[in-house]
Amino acid sequence: MYTLDELTLRCLAETSFAKYGPHIAVSFVDEPPLTYNDLKRAVVATAHALKKRGVKQGDRVAILGENSPQWGIAYLAVVSMGAVVVPILPDFHKSEVHHIIRNSGAKVLFVASKLVHKVEEKRLGDLKLLVGLDPIERRDLPYKVENLSKLIDEQARETTL
């Protein structure tokens, strides 16, 4: 019989990281695959970066993007730190996206660059930070914008010092 802690996504991820470390975990067309070890590093780095930006257990973090390894990294990072994921389907209308963000209390939104036009409005509830699942080059958005790959790289540099 399993305990409740053994049945969480966090436990499943940690078990998979330990058991399958050097094996390919995820891949995307025209991108190098990520091993479970790579995935673990990215998830841990993303969770640390979110903590440094004030996200804590119980906070809501929204994700607006299509299926990708980056979507999975964001999801696992959020749940691993005890925060709550608010997944938003990419084909929702802009007004539905606004409604979900406002009413969820999300502080951070992971968003794909091709969907960022759905969050151009100011004052979307508690939203303070957009994290691009891929690079967001726009500078005219009403929120602080960072990119997931840069957060991961930044955290990796800090832990090697």
Side-chain angles (χ1 to χ4, degrees), residues 51 53 68 74:
K51 286 178 187 173
R53 284 152 182 83
S68 69

Side-chain angles (χ1 to χ4, degrees), residues 78-153:
V78 172
V79 298
S80 74
M81 58 189 295
V84 178
V85 174
V86 179
I88 304 173
L89 294 175
D91 50 345
F92 278 175
H93 186 272
K94 187 177 188 175
S95 64
E96 295 169 310
V97 171
H98 293 179
H99 181 76
I100 292 167
I101 293 170
R102 278 193 193 103
N103 289 294
S104 69
K107 293 181 173 182
V108 176
L109 171 67
F110 285 90
V111 61
S113 61
K114 73 180 195 177
L115 299 171
V116 78
H117 68 278
K118 294 186 178 192
V119 292
E120 296 170 325
E121 183 176 314
K122 294 179 184 179
R123 296 182 300 276
L124 286 176
D126 297 328
L127 190 63
K128 303 284 186 259
L129 172 65
L130 301 181
V131 178
L133 293 170
D134 54 318
I136 296 174
E137 302 303 329
R138 292 186 49 187
R139 302 288 177 235
D140 61 334
L141 296 166
Y143 302 99
K144 181 176 180 184
V145 178
E146 299 193 43
N147 289 306
L148 179 59
S149 61
K150 288 183 181 178
L151 292 182
I152 293 168
D153 291 345

Side-chain angles (χ1 to χ4, degrees), residues 41-51 73-74 77 110 148 152 155:
R41 279 189 289 276
V43 167
V44 169
T46 303
H48 283 292
L50 289 172
K51 286 178 187 173
I73 289 166
F110 285 90
L148 179 59
I152 293 168
Q155 192 61 41

Side-chain angles (χ1 to χ4, degrees), residues 27-33:
S27 62
F28 207 57
V29 176
D30 296 329
E31 290 182 14

Side-chain angles (χ1 to χ4, degrees), residues 4-18 40 43-44 47-48 51 57 75-83:
L4 184 57
D5 285 340
E6 294 171 318
L7 299 175
T8 64
L9 285 175
R10 181 181 183 170
C11 181
L12 176 63
E14 288 172 358
T15 301
S16 298
F17 296 151
K40 179 181 179 179
V43 167
V44 169
H48 283 292
K51 286 178 187 173
Q57 185 173 357
Y75 185 92
L76 290 172
V78 172
V79 298
S80 74
M81 58 189 295

Side-chain angles (χ1 to χ4, degrees), residues 56-72:
K56 56 189 178 310
Q57 185 173 357
D59 285 346
R60 275 113 180 120
V61 176
I63 307 175
L64 173 60
E66 296 171 329
N67 290 338
S68 69
Q70 293 77 15
W71 196 103

